[in-house]
Amino acid sequence: MADRRRTTIGATVSAAAVVGALALATGLAAAGQAGPDAAGTDAPDSVPPPPATPLVDTVRLPDGFQPEGIAIDPGDKTAFFGSLADGSIFRADLVTGAGEVIGTAPGTPSVGMALDGQGRIFVAGGRAGDARVVDPDTGDVLASYDLAAEPESFVNDVTVTDTGAFFTDSTNPVVYHLPFDAAGELPAPAQVRRIPLTGDIVYGDGINANGITASPSGTNLIIVQSNTGLLFTVDPTTGVTDRTGIVDVNGDGLLIGGDGLLVLGQRLLVVQNRANTVVELQINAAGSQGDIVGRITDQRFDVPTTIADAGDLLYLPNARFGIEVTPDTEYEAVAIDRP
C-alpha cells in the first residue's frame, strides 16, 4: 500500500486519504470500539465492577439456640445453623445479619450440616441416629433416614460429594452413605449404605470420628478423631482408613478436640473446639500427608465447632460448651478472614 501511494499523483493521494479516514472512523463507530475522546486521550476499555457487598462479621443467633453445625450458600450469601437443643434450623442473611428459624423443629438435635449442588441441606441427627434432608426455603423435611443400627450412636457430621452424602458416627466405627443416582435424586431408605471403618482407626471412649470432608482430589474422605487428635483418610467404597501423616515443627501434630473440617484448595482447616483454635494444614491431593502451617485464634471464639466458607470470610458458630444453658443464653457465629 505504501509503495502504491508513492507512485500515485498528489491529488489522488489526498482524496484517498480522506476517504480512508472517514471509512475507518465509520467502521470504529459501527463496531462500538473506543477511540480518542475530545481531549485526545483513550477512553477506558471497561467499567470496573462495583465493590463487593461487605458481609457481617457476627451473626446473632436466637437465645438458647445451642448451635453446632453450619452450611453456607455463597451464591446468595445465606448461612444455615443447626440447634443441638431441638433441631431448629436458623437461616441468616450474611449481608444484614438478620435471620429466622425455618420449618418445624423435630425435637432431636441438628449437628453437622452440608449443602449440595441443588441447595438441599443435609443434617446429621446426633444421638437420634438419623439424617434429614431439608428444603432451604421452607425448612420442610424432604427425606429422613434412620442411619444407625445400634441403639447408642451419635451421627455427628456430614459432607456431600458427587456420589452422595457421607455421615460420621462418633460412637460406632461406621460411615453412612446416602448414594445419589445419576440425576442427583435422593435414595430410598433401603439404599442407605453402612460402611464399617477398618484399618488404622481404633475407636475408644469419648468422641471418635467427628468432622468429615472430601480430599482435594475427591478420591478419599478425610475424618478427624476428636479424642485422639488423629486425621485419617477413608476409602469411600471400602471404609479402609489410613492415618494421615502430619508434620508439625511446633508440636506433636495431634488435633485433640478436632471438630469441623474445611478443604480450600490443598489447605485443610481443622477446628479445635475447646482450644478455640483453627489449625491450617497444607495437604497433598489424597489427604494422606499434611504439614501444619498455621494456627488461627480470635478473642471472639467461644468453643467454635464447625466452619464454612463465604468468599473472603469464614464463619464459625460458637457452641459455648461447658456453660449453664438457659433460655436466655446468648449465642452467635463469628467471621474471620480467609487465610
Side-chain angles (χ1 to χ4, degrees):
M1 185 68 173
D3 290 342
R4 287 183 59 197
R5 283 202 297 269
R6 282 196 295 269
T7 59
T8 307
I9 61 174
T12 305
V13 171
S14 177
V18 172
V19 173
L22 289 173
L24 178 60
T26 301
L28 287 173
Q33 298 182 21
D37 61 17
T41 59
D42 289 337
D45 291 335
S46 62
V47 177
T53 303
L55 304 182
V56 296
D57 63 3
T58 303
V59 177
R60 178 69 188 276
L61 302 173
D63 290 351
F65 189 73
Q66 298 183 51
E68 210 280 356
I70 181 175
I72 290 179
D73 182 343
D76 63 5
K77 300 178 175 61
T78 302
F80 301 89
F81 302 89
S83 167
L84 290 175
D86 64 2
S88 295
I89 294 178
F90 184 79
R91 181 178 60 204
D93 184 328
L94 296 181
V95 175
T96 66
E100 62 180 348
V101 172
I102 59 173
T104 301
T108 54
S110 290
V111 195
M113 302 171 64
L115 284 164
D116 72 351
Q118 299 185 38
R120 300 173 297 200
I121 309 172
F122 291 76
V123 184
R127 65 177 180 275
D130 66 350
R132 289 174 286 126
V133 185
V134 176
D135 185 297
D137 296 319
T138 64
D140 292 343
V141 176
L142 303 175
S144 60
Y145 301 90
D146 292 324
L147 300 181
E150 299 80 2
E152 295 295 327
S153 63
F154 195 88
V155 181
N156 200 327
D157 205 359
V158 55
T159 191
V160 180
T161 73
D162 290 341
T163 67
F166 292 86
F167 295 79
T168 56
D169 188 326
S170 296
T171 303
N172 304 288
V174 62
V175 167
Y176 307 105
H177 181 206
L178 274 56
F180 299 159
D181 67 14
E185 295 299 319
L186 298 173
Q191 294 174 303
V192 173
R193 297 185 62 220
R194 294 171 176 84
I195 308 171
L197 295 179
T198 60
D200 289 345
I201 195 168
V202 177
Y203 270 45
D205 294 335
I207 300 296
N208 289 276
N210 192 336
I212 184 170
T213 188
S215 67
S217 66
T219 55
N220 293 318
L221 302 171
I222 300 173
I223 59 175
V224 62
Q225 189 177 18
S226 296
N227 52 358
T228 64
L230 300 176
L231 282 174
F232 299 88
T233 59
V234 182
D235 185 308
T237 301
T238 66
V240 173
T241 65
D242 290 293
R243 178 176 171 178
T244 296
I246 297 178
V247 175
D248 180 10
V249 297
N250 296 314
D252 56 14
L254 296 180
L255 302 167
I256 302 296
D259 202 329
L261 304 180
L262 177 65
V263 166
L264 300 172
Q266 287 198 209
R267 288 178 297 163
L268 173 65
L269 302 181
V270 182
V271 182
Q272 284 184 282
N273 49 35
R274 293 185 185 273
N276 290 316
T277 301
V278 178
V279 180
E280 181 184 2
L281 298 94
Q282 188 75 23
I283 60 174
N284 61 7
S288 59
Q289 184 67 41
D291 296 340
I292 293 180
V293 296
R295 289 177 170 84
I296 303 166
T297 59
D298 191 293
Q299 63 181 1
R300 298 169 300 156
F301 285 171
D302 194 352
V303 195
T305 47
T306 46
I307 185 169
D309 178 22
D312 293 335
L313 295 178
L314 305 174
Y315 284 84
L316 302 93
N318 281 324
R320 306 192 70 190
F321 292 152
I323 67 169
E324 181 181 355
V325 179
T326 73
D328 298 323
T329 302
E330 296 182 352
Y331 289 97
E332 65 184 12
V334 297
I336 59 174
D337 291 333
R338 178 173 173 155

